[in-house]
């Protein structure tokens, strides 16, 4: 088969798997698990074959016109370059791991068939985004991901948190998608085509009339999808979904779509200096803010969610200094270790029966209960904190190196201000990242107190996947930085000495300071007992997690918050802790700015409709109603009365007829 | 025989029937009154047919033919009517038309009016 055919099959197989899974879910439950895992696995193999054949050389392109529109045609186009091939490989690897993991994680869930089908559909949509060479087709995949994330985040729809989170995720990303759509139209009108290759050609020849407007409109959609400030608020709340969904959507694929989109269309953004500076500021605010917020979260998955936002900030930072190689490199390594972190967190939540770090820190020997999760999570946290030689170190240093490159005067592609912003924010974030990674590790695995409950070994499907993902987290970065430039633009991705020493140094400082704070505060833990565990610890992991999420607010007084004086984050952040725990009040600010006015407007419309419009309608109906009431009184139910009335009427009519006939 | 005799008889019959339909409370008597009215009409039809055919050369006797139709239909009608009355009586225990007021405005079929039950008792004791 040709590479084109294989590349078409890659998004098609999970889609067919999803359709078959939805159709057969009730009638043939035995087929659901194979239908969930096998198409994704097959598309993993095919994506690998496509990547090998593509080999970083000439992009594989193919196109056929989908529909004539009268102006700019929409084409079913395929455009597989080095970026697309590698990102597709990442997506399929993570999706396969998530599907395998889900068979164990949700093994008793009655809604597993629809869940697995939606995950397949989601994977297929992401692959469509990755491989598509036409922006309209890309938008189709982009929006399918939005609706799938709505359904998957709301998987535990029995809990109010999940319902609210799914609606919030959908609405916030849609707020970004409206300007995104307008931006796409503006871009296509300027460039005369929706094809990415033609648009890039038009940009190269200076054919864009309004690059700043287009870039800023597109950035809104990217900020929504990739959870960048100020549209990031949906991502921490989306942790109310099942853990494998968090791993798939909120670590490796959906949020990666925004970064990947900018990476593909980077020349469009480069055409506008203002857009690059906006991107850099957005990335810097996102990075530092999310680092501080992650340090204050109590829910283990929310820590990881804020860390995802921060790492995505690194990627947009790399894009704002016009180095898409570094951005996609970090995307790949982050996809691997963040998926691992989420999946390991799922195992820990299952074993501990709670998602609260405060409760875990009062539990002894938790790491002996889940040795696989302990070791793999240690690897992934080291990668997250960018400690050499883990893969996160190389990718993060390539970002910092690119920022330094621009900051030191190589400003032909990006403004120097962007370079400095990203460099400073990146170094500060490296410190914060190491601090919250250390805090997470110490609180989860070095708790002291009553024995952690023992539910036997975790299912094999859940632990094997962790080790599979640990390999790229541990080893890929070291040789990838030498190989990847051949696949990307050819820019050097090797870590530079200054940023490496600086980045690793602040990371070590962050880790050591957090350790010292933890030693200082851990003695307080005994004094304040905390913790509630799930009511059904013997249930499958999905049920335990749903109960843990549902019980967090009643037990600790907030989704993100626990009144735990033994938390090292509380000591490190000082007075900031209170604000960081609630995401710097951004949610309440949005509530005041947007939700309240909308609700006020709705109340006004309701008043006008009920009290003003309805009054006229009711008034018009009053006269017939009164007439009806009068006539109804004749309705006595006595047939003889009716007949008497009939007779009287007949007599009157007859007399009248006679009088008329006789002319009287 | 002069036409006035059967005509006056038929008017008397019809008025008796009409009174019975309007004033009788027993459904069977109402049906009987309907029969009286029908027969008054039949009498009219026959009388006028004879009176008119006297002048004509040849006639179809359509009045008498129509009478046969009326008799047939009346037989069918009384059959159905009696069956309905029987069914109502079995169902409700009464064939009193004044009590069969289910079609009245504001009638609630769920709790069959306790007021009507009390009225029944009052009537029985009176």
């Amino acid at each position: 088969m040709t590479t084109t055919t294989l590349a078409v099959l890659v998004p098609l197989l999970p889609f067919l798997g999803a359709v078959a899974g939805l159709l057969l879910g009730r009638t043939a439950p035995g087929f659901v698990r194979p239908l969930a895992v096998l198409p994704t696995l097959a598309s993993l193999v095919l994506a690998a074959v496509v990547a090998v054949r593509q080999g970083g050389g000439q992009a594989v392109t193919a196109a056929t016109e989908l529909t004539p529109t009268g102006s700019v045609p929409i084409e079913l186009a395929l455009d597989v370059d080095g970026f697309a091939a590698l990102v597709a490989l990442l997506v399929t690897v993570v999706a396969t791991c998530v599907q395998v993991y889900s068979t164990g994680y949700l093994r008793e869930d009655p809604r597993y068939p629809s869940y697995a089908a939606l995950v397949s559909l989601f994977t297929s949509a992401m692959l469509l985004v990755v491989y598509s060479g036409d922006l309209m087709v890309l938008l189709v995949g982009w929006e399918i991901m939005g609706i799938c994330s709505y359904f998957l985040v709301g998987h535990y729809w029995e809990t109010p948190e999940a319902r609210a989170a799914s609606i919030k995720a959908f609405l916030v990303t849609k707020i970004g998608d409206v300007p995104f759509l307008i931006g796409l139209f503006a871009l296509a009108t300027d460039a005369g085509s929706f094809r990415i290759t033609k648009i890039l050609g038009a940009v190269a020849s200076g054919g864009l009339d309004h690059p700043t407007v287009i870039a800023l409109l597109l950035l809104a959609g990217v900020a929504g999808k990739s959870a960048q400030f100020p549209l990031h608020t949906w991502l921490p709340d989306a942790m109310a979904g099942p853990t494998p969904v968090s791993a798939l959507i909120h670590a490796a694929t959906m949020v990666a779509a925004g970064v990947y989109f900018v990476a593909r269309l980077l020349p469009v953004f480069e055409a506008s200096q203002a857009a690059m500076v906006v991107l850099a500021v957005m990335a810097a605010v996102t990075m530092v803010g999310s680092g501080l917020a992650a340090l204050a979260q109590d829910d283990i998955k929310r820590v990881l969610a804020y860390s995802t936002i921060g790492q995505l900030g690194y990627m947009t930072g790399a894009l704002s200094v016009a180095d898409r190689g570094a951005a996609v490199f970090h995307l790949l390594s982050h996809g691997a270790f963040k998926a691992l972190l989420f999946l390991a967190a799922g195992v820990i939540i299952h074993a501990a029966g709670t998602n609260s770090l405060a409760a875990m820190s009062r539990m002894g020997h938790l790491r002996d209960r889940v040795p696989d999760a302990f070791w793999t999570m240690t690897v992934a946290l080291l990668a997250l904190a960018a400690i050499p030689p883990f893969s996160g170190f190389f990718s993060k240093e390539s970002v910092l190196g690119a920022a330094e490159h621009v900051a030191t005067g190589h400003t032909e592609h990006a403004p120097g201000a962007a370079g400095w912003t990203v460099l400073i924010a990146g170094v500060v974030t490296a410190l914060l990242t190491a601090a919250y990674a250390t805090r997470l590790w110490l609180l989860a695995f070095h708790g002291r107190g009553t024995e952690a409950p023992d539910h036997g070994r975790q299912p094999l499907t859940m632990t094997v996947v962790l080790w599979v993902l640990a390999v790229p987290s541990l080893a890929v970065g070291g040789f990838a930085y030498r190989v990847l430039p051949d696949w990307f633009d050819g820019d050097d991705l090797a870590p530079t000495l200054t940023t490496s020493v600086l980045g690793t140094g602040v990371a070590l400082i962050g880790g050591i300071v957090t350790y010292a704070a933890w030693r200082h505060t851990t003695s307080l833990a005994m004094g304040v007992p905390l913790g509630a565990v799930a009511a059904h610890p013997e249930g499958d992991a999905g049920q335990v997690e749903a109960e843990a999420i549902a019980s967090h607010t009643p037990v600790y007084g907030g989704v993100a918050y626990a009144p735990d004086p033994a938390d090292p984050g509380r000591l490190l952040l000082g007075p900031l802790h209170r604000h960081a725990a609630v995401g710097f009040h951004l949610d309440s600010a949005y509530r005041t700015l947007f939700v309240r006015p909308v609700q006020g407007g709705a109340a006004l419309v309701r008043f006008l409709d009920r009290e003003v419009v309805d009054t006229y309608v009711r008034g018009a109906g009053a006269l017939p109603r009164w007439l009806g009431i009068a006539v109804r009184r004749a309705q006595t139910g006595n047939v003889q009365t009716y007949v008497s009335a009939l007779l009287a009427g007949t007599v009157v009519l007859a007399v009248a007829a006679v009088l008329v006939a006789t002319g009287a | 025989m002069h036409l006035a005799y059967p005509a006056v008889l038929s008017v008397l019959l019809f008025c008796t029937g009409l009174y019975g339909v309007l004033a009788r409370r027993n459904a069977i008597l109402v049906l009987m009154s309907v029969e009286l009215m029908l027969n008054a009409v039949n009498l009219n039809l026959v009388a006028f047919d004879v009176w008119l055919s006297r002048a004509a050369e040849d006639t179809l006797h359509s009045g008498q033919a129509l009478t046969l139709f009326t008799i047939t239909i009346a037989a069918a009608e009384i059959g159905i009517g009696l069956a309905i009355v029987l069914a109502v009586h079995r169902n409700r225990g009464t064939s009193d038309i004044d009590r069969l007021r289910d079609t009245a405005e504001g009638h609630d079929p769920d709790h069959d009016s306790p007021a009507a039950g009390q009225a029944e008792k009052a009537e029985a004791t009176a």
Side-chain angles (χ1 to χ4, degrees), chain A residues 129 136 138-149 168-185 216-227 231 234 254 257-258 261:
Chain A
V129 167
M136 270 299 125
L138 183 148
L139 186 72
V140 171
W142 184 277
E143 295 300 337
I144 293 177
M145 279 200 285
I147 192 70
C148 282
S149 87
K168 185 173 179 184
F170 190 70
L171 286 183
V172 172
T173 49
K174 282 298 151 284
I175 288 173
D177 283 352
V178 174
F180 184 74
L181 183 64
I182 300 170
L184 284 187
F185 286 144
L216 290 179
L217 284 172
L218 292 178
L219 271 186
V222 169
K225 217 52 151 189
S226 277
L231 294 181
W234 62 273
M254 174 160 148
F261 177 81

Short mmCIF file of all heavy atoms in Angstrom, two decimals, chain A residues 129 136 138-149 168-185 216-227 231 234 254 257-258 261:
data_model
loop_
_atom_site.label_atom_id
_atom_site.label_comp_id
_atom_site.label_asym_id
_atom_site.label_seq_id
_atom_site.Cartn_x
_atom_site.Cartn_y
_atom_site.Cartn_z
N VAL A 129 -7.03 16.01 12.68
CA VAL A 129 -6.40 17.33 12.83
C VAL A 129 -4.93 17.26 12.45
O VAL A 129 -4.40 18.13 11.76
CB VAL A 129 -6.56 17.82 14.28
CG1 VAL A 129 -5.67 19.02 14.54
CG2 VAL A 129 -8.00 18.17 14.56
N MET A 136 -10.37 23.60 6.76
CA MET A 136 -11.77 23.31 7.08
C MET A 136 -11.91 21.88 7.60
O MET A 136 -12.65 21.62 8.55
CB MET A 136 -12.63 23.48 5.83
CG MET A 136 -13.18 24.86 5.64
SD MET A 136 -14.23 25.33 7.00
CE MET A 136 -13.46 26.83 7.51
N LEU A 138 -9.55 20.26 9.02
CA LEU A 138 -8.93 20.31 10.34
C LEU A 138 -9.93 20.80 11.38
O LEU A 138 -10.03 20.25 12.48
CB LEU A 138 -7.72 21.25 10.28
CG LEU A 138 -6.86 21.43 11.53
CD1 LEU A 138 -5.42 21.67 11.09
CD2 LEU A 138 -7.30 22.56 12.40
N LEU A 139 -10.73 21.80 10.99
CA LEU A 139 -11.72 22.34 11.93
C LEU A 139 -12.77 21.29 12.30
O LEU A 139 -13.23 21.25 13.44
CB LEU A 139 -12.41 23.56 11.30
CG LEU A 139 -13.37 24.30 12.22
CD1 LEU A 139 -12.60 25.06 13.27
CD2 LEU A 139 -14.25 25.23 11.45
N VAL A 140 -13.10 20.41 11.35
CA VAL A 140 -14.06 19.34 11.66
C VAL A 140 -13.53 18.48 12.80
O VAL A 140 -14.20 18.23 13.81
CB VAL A 140 -14.35 18.50 10.40
CG1 VAL A 140 -15.16 17.27 10.77
CG2 VAL A 140 -15.09 19.32 9.38
N GLY A 141 -12.27 18.03 12.65
CA GLY A 141 -11.67 17.23 13.72
C GLY A 141 -11.59 18.01 15.03
O GLY A 141 -11.87 17.49 16.10
N TRP A 142 -11.24 19.26 14.92
CA TRP A 142 -11.11 20.17 16.07
C TRP A 142 -12.42 20.22 16.86
O TRP A 142 -12.43 20.13 18.09
CB TRP A 142 -10.75 21.53 15.48
CG TRP A 142 -10.46 22.67 16.39
CD1 TRP A 142 -11.36 23.48 16.99
CD2 TRP A 142 -9.17 23.17 16.76
NE1 TRP A 142 -10.73 24.46 17.70
CE2 TRP A 142 -9.38 24.29 17.59
CE3 TRP A 142 -7.87 22.78 16.49
CZ2 TRP A 142 -8.32 25.03 18.13
CZ3 TRP A 142 -6.84 23.52 17.03
CH2 TRP A 142 -7.07 24.61 17.84
N GLU A 143 -13.54 20.34 16.14
CA GLU A 143 -14.84 20.45 16.82
C GLU A 143 -15.33 19.11 17.33
O GLU A 143 -15.98 19.03 18.37
CB GLU A 143 -15.88 21.05 15.88
CG GLU A 143 -15.60 22.50 15.48
CD GLU A 143 -15.54 23.42 16.68
OE1 GLU A 143 -16.11 23.10 17.72
OE2 GLU A 143 -14.88 24.46 16.57
N ILE A 144 -15.02 18.02 16.59
CA ILE A 144 -15.41 16.69 17.11
C ILE A 144 -14.70 16.45 18.43
O ILE A 144 -15.29 15.92 19.38
CB ILE A 144 -15.06 15.59 16.09
CG1 ILE A 144 -15.92 15.73 14.85
CG2 ILE A 144 -15.27 14.21 16.69
CD1 ILE A 144 -15.59 14.73 13.78
N MET A 145 -13.45 16.87 18.53
CA MET A 145 -12.75 16.73 19.81
C MET A 145 -13.46 17.49 20.90
O MET A 145 -13.57 17.02 22.03
CB MET A 145 -11.32 17.25 19.66
CG MET A 145 -10.39 16.26 19.04
SD MET A 145 -8.72 16.66 19.43
CE MET A 145 -8.47 18.03 18.36
N GLY A 146 -13.96 18.69 20.56
CA GLY A 146 -14.67 19.48 21.57
C GLY A 146 -15.88 18.74 22.12
O GLY A 146 -16.06 18.65 23.32
N ILE A 147 -16.67 18.16 21.21
CA ILE A 147 -17.90 17.51 21.69
C ILE A 147 -17.55 16.21 22.41
O ILE A 147 -18.17 15.86 23.42
CB ILE A 147 -18.90 17.30 20.53
CG1 ILE A 147 -20.26 16.91 21.07
CG2 ILE A 147 -18.45 16.25 19.56
CD1 ILE A 147 -20.96 18.01 21.77
N CYS A 148 -16.52 15.48 21.93
CA CYS A 148 -16.13 14.25 22.63
C CYS A 148 -15.63 14.56 24.03
O CYS A 148 -15.92 13.83 24.97
CB CYS A 148 -15.04 13.53 21.85
SG CYS A 148 -15.66 12.64 20.45
N SER A 149 -14.88 15.66 24.16
CA SER A 149 -14.38 15.98 25.50
C SER A 149 -15.55 16.35 26.41
O SER A 149 -15.52 16.02 27.59
CB SER A 149 -13.35 17.10 25.43
OG SER A 149 -13.98 18.35 25.48
N LYS A 168 -18.61 23.47 31.29
CA LYS A 168 -17.63 24.54 31.30
C LYS A 168 -16.57 24.30 30.23
O LYS A 168 -16.22 25.21 29.48
CB LYS A 168 -16.98 24.60 32.68
CG LYS A 168 -16.02 25.75 32.86
CD LYS A 168 -15.57 25.82 34.29
CE LYS A 168 -14.59 26.94 34.51
NZ LYS A 168 -14.09 26.95 35.88
N ALA A 169 -16.09 23.05 30.14
CA ALA A 169 -15.06 22.75 29.13
C ALA A 169 -15.60 23.06 27.75
O ALA A 169 -14.90 23.66 26.91
CB ALA A 169 -14.66 21.27 29.23
N PHE A 170 -16.83 22.68 27.50
CA PHE A 170 -17.41 22.88 26.17
C PHE A 170 -17.56 24.37 25.88
O PHE A 170 -17.13 24.86 24.83
CB PHE A 170 -18.76 22.18 26.10
CG PHE A 170 -19.34 22.13 24.74
CD1 PHE A 170 -18.78 21.32 23.77
CD2 PHE A 170 -20.45 22.89 24.41
CE1 PHE A 170 -19.30 21.28 22.51
CE2 PHE A 170 -20.97 22.84 23.14
CZ PHE A 170 -20.40 22.03 22.19
N LEU A 171 -18.13 25.11 26.84
CA LEU A 171 -18.40 26.53 26.57
C LEU A 171 -17.13 27.33 26.42
O LEU A 171 -17.01 28.17 25.53
CB LEU A 171 -19.27 27.10 27.70
CG LEU A 171 -20.72 26.66 27.68
CD1 LEU A 171 -21.49 27.34 28.78
CD2 LEU A 171 -21.36 26.96 26.35
N VAL A 172 -16.15 27.08 27.32
CA VAL A 172 -14.93 27.89 27.28
C VAL A 172 -14.17 27.65 25.98
O VAL A 172 -13.70 28.58 25.33
CB VAL A 172 -14.05 27.60 28.51
CG1 VAL A 172 -12.71 28.29 28.37
CG2 VAL A 172 -14.74 28.07 29.77
N THR A 173 -14.09 26.37 25.55
CA THR A 173 -13.39 26.13 24.29
C THR A 173 -14.17 26.72 23.12
O THR A 173 -13.59 27.20 22.16
CB THR A 173 -13.14 24.64 24.05
OG1 THR A 173 -14.36 23.95 24.26
CG2 THR A 173 -12.10 24.09 24.98
N LYS A 174 -15.50 26.72 23.24
CA LYS A 174 -16.29 27.31 22.15
C LYS A 174 -16.10 28.82 22.07
O LYS A 174 -16.12 29.40 20.98
CB LYS A 174 -17.77 27.01 22.34
CG LYS A 174 -18.18 25.62 21.95
CD LYS A 174 -17.94 25.35 20.49
CE LYS A 174 -17.66 23.89 20.26
NZ LYS A 174 -16.31 23.47 20.66
N ILE A 175 -15.90 29.46 23.24
CA ILE A 175 -15.65 30.91 23.22
C ILE A 175 -14.42 31.19 22.38
O ILE A 175 -14.37 32.17 21.63
CB ILE A 175 -15.48 31.43 24.67
CG1 ILE A 175 -16.82 31.44 25.37
CG2 ILE A 175 -14.86 32.82 24.67
CD1 ILE A 175 -16.72 31.78 26.83
N GLY A 176 -13.42 30.31 22.48
CA GLY A 176 -12.25 30.49 21.64
C GLY A 176 -12.51 30.12 20.20
O GLY A 176 -11.91 30.68 19.29
N ASP A 177 -13.41 29.16 19.98
CA ASP A 177 -13.60 28.64 18.62
C ASP A 177 -14.31 29.62 17.70
O ASP A 177 -14.12 29.56 16.48
CB ASP A 177 -14.39 27.33 18.67
CG ASP A 177 -13.52 26.19 19.12
OD1 ASP A 177 -12.30 26.41 19.23
OD2 ASP A 177 -14.03 25.08 19.36
N VAL A 178 -15.13 30.50 18.24
CA VAL A 178 -15.84 31.46 17.37
C VAL A 178 -14.85 32.41 16.68
O VAL A 178 -14.84 32.51 15.45
CB VAL A 178 -16.91 32.22 18.17
CG1 VAL A 178 -17.53 33.28 17.30
CG2 VAL A 178 -17.97 31.25 18.66
N PRO A 179 -13.96 33.10 17.45
CA PRO A 179 -12.95 33.89 16.74
C PRO A 179 -12.05 33.04 15.86
O PRO A 179 -11.59 33.52 14.82
CB PRO A 179 -12.15 34.55 17.87
CG PRO A 179 -12.78 34.19 19.13
CD PRO A 179 -13.91 33.28 18.90
N PHE A 180 -11.81 31.81 16.28
CA PHE A 180 -10.96 30.91 15.49
C PHE A 180 -11.56 30.71 14.10
O PHE A 180 -10.87 30.78 13.09
CB PHE A 180 -10.85 29.58 16.24
CG PHE A 180 -9.93 28.58 15.61
CD1 PHE A 180 -8.57 28.73 15.68
CD2 PHE A 180 -10.44 27.47 14.96
CE1 PHE A 180 -7.72 27.80 15.11
CE2 PHE A 180 -9.60 26.54 14.39
CZ PHE A 180 -8.23 26.70 14.47
N LEU A 181 -12.87 30.46 14.08
CA LEU A 181 -13.55 30.23 12.79
C LEU A 181 -13.46 31.49 11.92
O LEU A 181 -13.13 31.41 10.72
CB LEU A 181 -15.01 29.87 13.06
CG LEU A 181 -15.87 29.54 11.86
CD1 LEU A 181 -15.36 28.29 11.20
CD2 LEU A 181 -17.31 29.35 12.28
N ILE A 182 -13.71 32.66 12.54
CA ILE A 182 -13.62 33.90 11.77
C ILE A 182 -12.20 34.08 11.26
O ILE A 182 -11.98 34.49 10.11
CB ILE A 182 -14.06 35.09 12.65
CG1 ILE A 182 -15.50 34.88 13.11
CG2 ILE A 182 -13.92 36.40 11.91
CD1 ILE A 182 -15.95 35.85 14.16
N GLY A 183 -11.22 33.75 12.13
CA GLY A 183 -9.82 33.87 11.71
C GLY A 183 -9.51 32.98 10.53
O GLY A 183 -8.79 33.37 9.60
N LEU A 184 -10.05 31.75 10.55
CA LEU A 184 -9.82 30.84 9.42
C LEU A 184 -10.39 31.41 8.14
O LEU A 184 -9.74 31.37 7.08
CB LEU A 184 -10.48 29.48 9.70
CG LEU A 184 -9.80 28.54 10.68
CD1 LEU A 184 -10.50 27.20 10.68
CD2 LEU A 184 -8.35 28.35 10.33
N PHE A 185 -11.60 31.98 8.23
CA PHE A 185 -12.20 32.55 7.02
C PHE A 185 -11.35 33.73 6.51
O PHE A 185 -11.10 33.85 5.31
CB PHE A 185 -13.63 33.03 7.32
CG PHE A 185 -14.61 31.91 7.44
CD1 PHE A 185 -15.65 31.97 8.35
CD2 PHE A 185 -14.49 30.78 6.65
CE1 PHE A 185 -16.54 30.92 8.48
CE2 PHE A 185 -15.38 29.74 6.77
CZ PHE A 185 -16.41 29.81 7.68
N LEU A 216 -4.30 37.07 15.75
CA LEU A 216 -4.93 37.21 17.06
C LEU A 216 -6.23 36.43 17.13
O LEU A 216 -6.54 35.81 18.16
CB LEU A 216 -5.16 38.69 17.38
CG LEU A 216 -3.88 39.49 17.66
CD1 LEU A 216 -4.21 40.93 17.94
CD2 LEU A 216 -3.11 38.89 18.82
N LEU A 217 -7.01 36.43 16.04
CA LEU A 217 -8.26 35.65 16.03
C LEU A 217 -7.95 34.17 16.19
O LEU A 217 -8.61 33.46 16.97
CB LEU A 217 -9.02 35.90 14.73
CG LEU A 217 -9.75 37.23 14.61
CD1 LEU A 217 -10.28 37.41 13.21
CD2 LEU A 217 -10.90 37.28 15.61
N LEU A 218 -6.94 33.70 15.45
CA LEU A 218 -6.59 32.28 15.56
C LEU A 218 -6.08 31.96 16.96
O LEU A 218 -6.36 30.88 17.50
CB LEU A 218 -5.53 31.92 14.52
CG LEU A 218 -5.99 31.96 13.06
CD1 LEU A 218 -4.83 31.65 12.15
CD2 LEU A 218 -7.11 30.98 12.83
N LEU A 219 -5.36 32.91 17.55
CA LEU A 219 -4.81 32.67 18.89
C LEU A 219 -5.92 32.43 19.92
O LEU A 219 -5.72 31.67 20.86
CB LEU A 219 -3.97 33.86 19.34
CG LEU A 219 -2.49 33.83 18.97
CD1 LEU A 219 -1.79 34.99 19.61
CD2 LEU A 219 -1.87 32.52 19.42
N ALA A 220 -7.06 33.07 19.74
CA ALA A 220 -8.17 32.87 20.69
C ALA A 220 -8.58 31.40 20.70
O ALA A 220 -8.75 30.81 21.77
CB ALA A 220 -9.34 33.75 20.32
N GLY A 221 -8.72 30.81 19.50
CA GLY A 221 -9.08 29.40 19.44
C GLY A 221 -8.00 28.53 20.04
O GLY A 221 -8.27 27.55 20.75
N VAL A 222 -6.75 28.88 19.76
CA VAL A 222 -5.64 28.10 20.29
C VAL A 222 -5.61 28.18 21.80
O VAL A 222 -5.40 27.17 22.50
CB VAL A 222 -4.31 28.59 19.67
CG1 VAL A 222 -3.13 27.99 20.38
CG2 VAL A 222 -4.28 28.27 18.19
N ALA A 223 -5.84 29.39 22.35
CA ALA A 223 -5.84 29.54 23.80
C ALA A 223 -6.94 28.70 24.43
O ALA A 223 -6.75 28.08 25.48
CB ALA A 223 -6.02 31.01 24.17
N GLY A 224 -8.10 28.64 23.77
CA GLY A 224 -9.18 27.83 24.32
C GLY A 224 -8.83 26.36 24.30
O GLY A 224 -8.99 25.65 25.29
N LYS A 225 -8.36 25.87 23.16
CA LYS A 225 -8.10 24.44 23.03
C LYS A 225 -6.89 24.03 23.85
O LYS A 225 -6.88 23.00 24.51
CB LYS A 225 -7.86 24.13 21.55
CG LYS A 225 -8.40 22.81 21.06
CD LYS A 225 -9.83 22.60 21.39
CE LYS A 225 -10.52 21.72 20.38
NZ LYS A 225 -11.96 21.73 20.62
N SER A 226 -5.82 24.83 23.82
CA SER A 226 -4.60 24.45 24.52
C SER A 226 -4.55 25.00 25.93
O SER A 226 -3.49 24.98 26.55
CB SER A 226 -3.38 24.96 23.74
OG SER A 226 -3.07 24.07 22.72
N ALA A 227 -5.69 25.46 26.45
CA ALA A 227 -5.79 25.85 27.85
C ALA A 227 -4.74 26.89 28.24
O ALA A 227 -3.99 26.71 29.19
CB ALA A 227 -5.71 24.64 28.77
N LEU A 231 -8.08 31.56 28.85
CA LEU A 231 -9.15 30.57 28.62
C LEU A 231 -8.77 29.20 29.18
O LEU A 231 -9.22 28.19 28.68
CB LEU A 231 -9.45 30.46 27.12
CG LEU A 231 -10.04 31.70 26.45
CD1 LEU A 231 -10.31 31.44 24.99
CD2 LEU A 231 -11.33 32.10 27.14
N TRP A 234 -11.07 25.90 32.13
CA TRP A 234 -11.82 24.65 32.02
C TRP A 234 -10.97 23.45 32.38
O TRP A 234 -11.49 22.43 32.82
CB TRP A 234 -12.38 24.48 30.60
CG TRP A 234 -11.35 24.39 29.53
CD1 TRP A 234 -10.78 25.42 28.86
CD2 TRP A 234 -10.78 23.20 29.00
NE1 TRP A 234 -9.89 24.95 27.94
CE2 TRP A 234 -9.87 23.59 28.00
CE3 TRP A 234 -10.95 21.84 29.26
CZ2 TRP A 234 -9.13 22.68 27.28
CZ3 TRP A 234 -10.21 20.94 28.53
CH2 TRP A 234 -9.30 21.36 27.56
N MET A 254 -5.82 16.54 22.96
CA MET A 254 -6.65 17.70 22.64
C MET A 254 -5.93 19.02 22.90
O MET A 254 -5.92 19.91 22.05
CB MET A 254 -7.93 17.67 23.47
CG MET A 254 -8.77 18.90 23.31
SD MET A 254 -10.43 18.56 23.81
CE MET A 254 -10.93 20.12 24.45
N ALA A 257 -3.53 19.96 20.35
CA ALA A 257 -4.01 20.37 19.04
C ALA A 257 -3.72 21.85 18.79
O ALA A 257 -3.30 22.23 17.69
CB ALA A 257 -5.51 20.10 18.92
N GLY A 258 -3.92 22.69 19.81
CA GLY A 258 -3.69 24.12 19.63
C GLY A 258 -2.23 24.40 19.32
O GLY A 258 -1.90 25.15 18.38
N PHE A 261 -1.37 23.23 15.91
CA PHE A 261 -1.92 24.11 14.88
C PHE A 261 -1.01 25.32 14.66
O PHE A 261 -0.69 25.68 13.53
CB PHE A 261 -3.32 24.56 15.31
CG PHE A 261 -3.97 25.53 14.38
CD1 PHE A 261 -4.59 25.09 13.22
CD2 PHE A 261 -3.94 26.89 14.64
CE1 PHE A 261 -5.18 25.98 12.36
CE2 PHE A 261 -4.53 27.78 13.78
CZ PHE A 261 -5.14 27.33 12.64
#
